């Protein structure tokens, strides 16, 4: 079985995430969304709670091939991707795992914990918005990496949060309960 997994804070999930998922659905048997409690490489905690982010993901993604994995949300410790890979390998024995990342993550990949193990266990599908920078990087990589070139989605969770805060719209809880988001 071909399983793709897409991790992130998803604070909030947006149409860029949706475009990535829609692209990947055609290439896999199952797509697993893995929201994290807090990225170990970031100082700040997410603005939305784990429950809120999971709820937003479940509203945005309803396809029957998509599952939301709570492994990282329920972890008592900082969770690293290699631990998630271990979990997925045990749960989906004999499956082919592909990790979905953006090129911003690719550029910092060498700093990830147990990176050699990670690279030996999964394929990587990288969504690339900055072609010139990554063409050089692509030539230097020695692991199983595929680029989706010119993925022109100019949105980020950070941009959305800034827009919400600038309009003094901070509490999204009532909207989640009413399925407006």
């Amino acid at each position: 079985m071909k399983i793709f997994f897409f991790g992130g804070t998803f604070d909030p999930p947006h149409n860029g995430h949706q475009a990535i998922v829609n692209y990947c659905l055609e290439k896999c048997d199952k797509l697993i969304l893995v929201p994290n409690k807090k990225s170990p490489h970031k100082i700040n905690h997410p603005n939305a709670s784990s429950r809120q982010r999971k709820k937003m993901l479940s509203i945005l993604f309803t396809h029957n091939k998509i599952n939301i994995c709570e492994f990282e949300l329920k972890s008592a410790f900082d969770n690293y991707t290699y631990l998630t890979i271990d979990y997925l390998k045990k749960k989906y024995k004999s499956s082919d795992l592909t990790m979905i990342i953006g090129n911003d993550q690719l550029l910092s990949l060498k700093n990830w914990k147990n990176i050699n193990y990670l690279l030996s266990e999964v394929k990587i599908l990288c969504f690339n918005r900055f072609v010139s920078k990554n063409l050089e990087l692509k030539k230097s990589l020695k692991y199983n990496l595929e680029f989706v070139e010119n993925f022109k989605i100019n949105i980020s969770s950070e941009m959305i949060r800034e827009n919400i805060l600038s309009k003094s719209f901070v509490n999204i809880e009532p909207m989640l309960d009413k399925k407006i988001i």
Side-chain angles (χ1 to χ4, degrees):
M1 181 183 319
K2 289 178 77 171
I3 297 178
F4 284 27
F5 70 99
F6 186 17
T9 307
F10 301 108
D11 185 30
H14 51 70
N15 60 4
H17 296 130
Q18 191 170 35
I20 289 169
V21 165
N22 289 342
Y23 177 91
C24 291
L25 280 174
E26 299 174 14
K27 299 183 172 296
C28 66
D29 299 310
K30 179 184 289 290
L31 193 142
I32 301 170
L33 298 169
V34 187
N36 61 34
K37 189 180 332 184
K38 178 192 168 290
S39 173
H41 299 287
K42 293 182 180 175
I43 296 169
N44 297 327
H45 287 272
N47 291 314
S49 70
S50 295
R51 180 184 156 277
Q52 290 169 330
R53 291 180 291 122
K54 182 180 177 226
K55 180 75 170 178
M56 287 186 280
L57 286 169
S58 69
I59 292 169
L60 187 59
F61 300 108
T62 59
H63 194 284
N64 63 352
K65 284 171 65 171
I66 299 174
N67 289 352
I68 299 171
C69 173
E70 296 183 66
F71 173 74
E72 291 190 17
L73 291 176
K74 291 182 176 182
S75 175
F77 306 100
D78 276 352
N79 200 74
Y80 295 93
T81 303
Y82 82 92
L83 296 170
T84 303
I85 291 169
D86 279 346
Y87 170 80
L88 293 173
K89 287 178 67 66
K90 288 174 187 166
K91 185 169 181 167
Y92 302 101
K93 292 176 176 44
S94 304
S95 291
D96 183 25
L97 290 178
T98 298
M99 179 173 67
I100 303 165
I101 63 174
N103 60 330
D104 56 330
Q105 294 168 320
L106 180 66
L107 296 172
S108 68
L109 203 59
K110 65 183 177 202
N111 300 322
W112 289 21
K113 191 166 185 121
N114 288 346
I115 187 60
N116 291 331
Y117 169 77
L118 185 151
L119 295 174
S120 70
E121 296 297 322
V122 299
K123 297 174 184 167
I124 298 174
L125 181 61
C126 181
F127 284 80
N128 184 13
R129 293 192 300 174
F130 309 106
V131 176
S132 61
K133 204 178 224 184
N134 280 327
L135 285 178
E136 290 176 23
L137 183 59
K138 185 176 181 180
K139 292 174 188 173
S140 70
L141 297 174
K142 295 178 174 55
Y143 40 88
N144 198 350
L145 173 69
E146 178 184 341
F147 277 97
V148 177
E149 300 289 352
N150 294 323
F151 198 73
K152 301 218 186 244
I153 301 292
N154 192 19
I155 190 165
S156 71
S157 295
E158 182 178 2
M159 289 169 49
I160 293 169
R161 289 191 308 270
E162 288 172 1
N163 286 339
I164 290 171
L165 290 174
S166 70
K167 294 181 173 93
S168 299
F169 183 76
V170 179
N171 186 4
I172 62 171
E173 187 74 31
M175 294 179 70
L176 290 173
D177 292 335
K178 294 179 184 176
K179 292 190 175 189
I180 294 173
I181 289 184

